Amino acid sequence: MLAQVGWTTEFPGSNSNVLVSDVSFSGSGVLVIAHTFSVNGPFDSELSAYRLDVDGSTSSQRLLWDSAYRVSGRYIHLDEVTGYAHILGEIQTSDGLMGFHHTTLDDALNSIDSVVYICPEQATLFMDNACVSSSGRMLILGYGRTDPPGAVNTFLITTNMDGDSLDAYQSSYGTFHVPRSGVFTSNDTALIAFRGAMPQLPFGTASYVRLDENLDYVDGFNDVPYDGSPGPLTLSNSVNDGQYMSILPNGNLLVSGRAGNLSDGYSTVLQVLTPQGEWVGSFAPERELGHVHPALYGGHVLTSENEILFVVTDNFFTGPPSLWEPTEPSKVTVYRLDTDLNVLCSAVVDGFVDNTYYFVTRVKESRTGEIVLTGTRKDLSNGSSSFEGWVQQIARNDCGVTVDERLGANQVHAYPNPGLDAFTVQVNGAIDPRAIMRLFTSDGRMVQELVVLNGSANIDASHWGSGLYHFRITDRTGRPIASGHWVRE
C-alpha cells in the first residue's frame, strides 16, 4: 500500500490566471484539467491537461484547445473500461458560435476524439457539471443567455461515450433556473438540482426535477428549510445555489450548497433529503470570519468507505469590485463525516498563515483515501500576482479532531470578545500541553506567536490597533487544533 502523503502542485500561467476545475484518478496517476481565465472577461481561453505522479509532480502536459478558441474544462469522467478520460466544458468557436465540447483523451493524454454541440443565438454559455448513467449515457447540464440579456436558457444534452448526441432539451422561461448538478437515479431517469424554480413547480428558491430518457419531465420537488423547521422557505433557511448531489447507500439524497444572501451573509450547508424531497438532517458550520461558501462545482464527495468529505471556504470574497479581486485571505476547512452527519475530523488550509486567498472548485478522494482539493489561489503579498491553478492532497492522517464550536469537540473560547488591552484564549479538551498559537491581522500579517500551556494563553494586546484578529493553534508538528478570532475595540 502506498504511504499516505500530502503535497501541493501549482499551475502558474504566463501573465494569465489559471483555474483547476476537476481531477480524476487512475493507476497511472492524477489527471488534471486547467484553463486560463480573465478576471474581467466573460469567458475562458486555453485548456490544458496534466498528468501528475502519485507524489504530485507533473509527468506530462498537453494543450487541448489553444487561444484560437475560447474553451474551459469543467468536468472529467474516467471510463474504467477503456481508460479514456471524457472532458466536458464550454467553447466559443473561431467564428463566434457558443456551445459545449466533449474531448476524449487516452492515458497518455493523446486526443482520441473531440465533438462540439452548438447552442444557437447564445451570447454567454456555462456549465458546472455533468452526470453519467451506468450504461454510459452522459448528461451535460448547461445554461446561457442571449444578447441582449434575457431569461436564462437551460441546455441539457445527452451523449454517449463516442460523443454522439442522443437527445437535447432547451427551455427559455421567465423564472431564473440554472442546473447545478445531477445524478442518475436509474439508467433512464436523471434527477437535476436547479437554482430557482422550474415552470412545472410552484415558485421556490431551488428545485429538484426528474427527467426520463427523452428528457421529458416526470416529477419534482422544491427545496425545504435545511433546519427541518415547518416555517416558510426563504433564502436564509434554504440551500438555494451551488447544489451538488450524491446518492447515499440507503437511497437518500446528499446535497451540499449555499444558503443565505449577499446582504445577510452566505453559509454553506450539507443536508440529507429523502428521494421525495423530505428533510432528514443537515450540518451547517458556523460563520467565523465572513461569507462561508461551498466549492464551486463539487462541495462534497462520498468516499469509498461511505464517509463524506465536505469542504467550505470561510472569508469568501464576493467583491467589490469583482469576485476575482480579493483583499483578504481565506480559510478552507474539510470535514469528514459519517452518513448520519456526525463529524469525525477536520483539516484546514489556512490562508492567513501565508497571506493567500484560496478558491475551491471541488473536493475529491484519491485512490488511496487521501483528501484532494482543486481550484486556484492568489498570493496577496504580491499585489501584481495572478491566480495560479492549485491542487492539494491532504494525507488522511492529517484530518485531526475538529474544532468547530458547534461540533462539541475541542471548543475554543476567546474572552472578553470584543476586548481592549488583553484577552484569554481557552481550549477545552485533550490537546498538546505546549501547543503553538499564532495571531494575525485581518490582512494576514502575523503579530504574535506564543505557547499555549495546558490549553490556556493570556495575550497582551495593548499595543495593537483596533480591528479583527485571527488566531490559529497547532500542535508542535503543525497539525491544526483550533482557530478563532478576536476583536479589539
Side-chain angles (χ1 to χ4, degrees):
M1 181 177 176
L2 291 173
Q4 295 180 346
V5 295
W7 47 259
T8 300
T9 302
E10 298 89 16
F11 303 86
S14 177
N15 300 317
S16 61
N17 302 286
V18 179
L19 179 74
V20 174
S21 298
D22 203 358
V23 296
S24 68
F25 309 93
S26 67
S28 58
V30 184
L31 173 64
V32 177
I33 54 171
H35 58 258
T36 59
F37 69 94
S38 169
V39 168
N40 299 310
F43 215 77
D44 309 294
S45 187
E46 297 182 344
L47 173 64
S48 297
Y50 301 82
R51 176 71 66 189
L52 307 185
D53 291 331
V54 292
D55 63 356
S57 59
T58 301
S59 60
S60 59
Q61 172 186 354
R62 186 174 296 275
L63 179 64
L64 303 181
W65 295 87
D66 63 26
S67 57
Y69 302 86
R70 302 181 68 85
V71 184
S72 73
R74 304 293 185 194
Y75 178 87
I76 303 174
H77 171 70
L78 182 66
D79 189 331
E80 297 287 352
V81 176
T82 64
Y84 292 166
H86 298 266
I87 300 169
L88 302 172
E90 308 101 335
I91 184 170
Q92 182 178 13
T93 66
S94 56
D95 53 2
L97 297 176
M98 307 291 289
F100 302 105
H101 72 89
H102 176 179
T103 303
T104 306
L105 304 180
D106 66 13
D107 196 54
L109 304 186
N110 296 310
S111 179
I112 301 300
D113 194 15
S114 60
V115 180
V116 174
Y117 314 101
I118 295 298
C119 300
E121 300 178 356
Q122 300 304 298
T124 59
L125 197 66
F126 304 97
M127 67 168 286
D128 294 348
N129 279 294
C131 55
V132 183
S133 74
S134 58
S135 64
R137 292 175 66 230
M138 303 180 69
L139 176 57
I140 299 172
L141 309 172
Y143 56 99
R145 286 183 183 272
T146 57
D147 192 12
V152 172
N153 301 301
T154 300
F155 293 93
L156 307 177
I157 300 171
T158 55
T159 76
N160 59 23
M161 292 296 174
D162 293 329
D164 301 323
S165 180
L166 305 177
D167 211 336
Y169 168 96
Q170 177 181 348
S171 70
S172 179
Y173 300 103
T175 54
F176 185 67
H177 57 290
V178 173
R180 292 303 192 194
S181 68
V183 292
F184 277 92
T185 56
S186 70
N187 189 46
D188 297 327
T189 304
L191 178 67
I192 302 172
F194 286 88
R195 179 187 182 187
M198 287 292 285
Q200 296 91 338
L201 298 172
F203 177 78
T205 60
S207 54
Y208 300 80
V209 175
R210 288 186 183 88
L211 303 176
D212 65 17
E213 61 180 335
N214 299 315
L215 301 181
D216 292 327
Y217 177 82
V218 177
D219 61 17
F221 53 87
N222 279 327
D223 196 18
V224 294
Y226 69 76
D227 58 2
S229 67
L233 194 66
T234 67
L235 290 175
S236 296
N237 68 11
S238 65
V239 180
N240 57 69
D241 199 5
Q243 308 101 304
Y244 186 76
M245 289 191 297
S246 300
I247 300 178
L248 291 169
N250 63 4
N252 283 338
L253 301 174
L254 182 66
V255 182
S256 57
R258 190 183 77 190
N261 56 59
L262 187 60
S263 59
D264 297 330
Y266 291 129
S267 299
T268 298
V269 178
L270 183 69
Q271 66 176 356
V272 177
L273 305 174
T274 69
Q276 294 74 39
E278 299 163 332
W279 182 84
V280 176
S282 63
F283 167 67
E286 288 277 14
R287 291 203 305 263
E288 178 185 332
L289 304 173
H291 294 291
V292 177
H293 207 274
L296 187 62
Y297 303 129
H300 73 268
V301 66
L302 190 64
T303 73
S304 56
E305 297 180 354
N306 286 328
E307 294 175 342
I308 302 162
L309 298 177
F310 171 52
V311 63
V312 303
T313 300
D314 201 350
N315 214 35
F316 183 85
F317 188 74
T318 59
S322 81
L323 185 72
W324 299 107
E325 298 177 76
T327 56
E328 294 183 353
S330 61
K331 185 176 80 170
V332 178
T333 303
V334 183
Y335 297 95
R336 186 182 294 271
L337 306 94
D338 62 24
T339 53
D340 292 324
L341 303 188
N342 298 306
V343 176
L344 306 176
C345 64
S346 67
V348 175
V349 178
D350 193 343
F352 288 92
V353 172
D354 54 3
N355 201 22
T356 299
Y357 182 78
Y358 290 91
F359 185 102
V360 183
T361 54
R362 295 186 191 273
V363 59
K364 293 285 190 85
E365 181 194 33
S366 75
R367 290 206 168 193
T368 52
E370 276 74 58
I371 301 165
V372 177
L373 299 173
T374 69
T376 188
R377 68 183 189 180
K378 182 179 176 66
D379 178 8
L380 299 181
S381 301
N382 181 355
S384 61
S385 69
S386 300
F387 279 92
E388 60 182 7
W390 162 69
V391 178
Q392 183 163 343
Q393 178 169 291
I394 301 171
R396 183 185 177 94
N397 290 341
D398 285 341
C399 188
V401 176
T402 186
V403 299
D404 192 305
E405 291 187 19
R406 291 185 63 184
L407 310 181
N410 284 338
Q411 295 185 351
V412 59
H413 302 281
Y415 58 90
N417 193 5
L420 187 57
D421 291 334
F423 66 102
T424 298
V425 172
Q426 180 72 46
V427 184
N428 299 327
I431 69 168
D432 186 330
R434 292 185 62 83
I436 305 298
M437 179 165 66
R438 296 177 177 88
L439 299 104
F440 305 88
T441 61
S442 62
D443 60 1
R445 179 175 55 87
M446 189 170 75
V447 295
Q448 191 169 346
E449 178 179 318
L450 68 159
V451 175
V452 180
L453 290 173
N454 299 314
S456 181
N458 298 312
I459 296 96
D460 177 9
S462 58
H463 58 291
W464 297 1
S466 300
L468 177 67
Y469 293 85
H470 310 284
F471 59 84
R472 186 184 186 209
I473 303 172
T474 66
D475 66 16
R476 280 169 285 183
T477 69
R479 286 187 179 173
I481 294 174
S483 63
H485 67 274
W486 179 75
V487 176
R488 187 176 195 273
E489 295 180 313

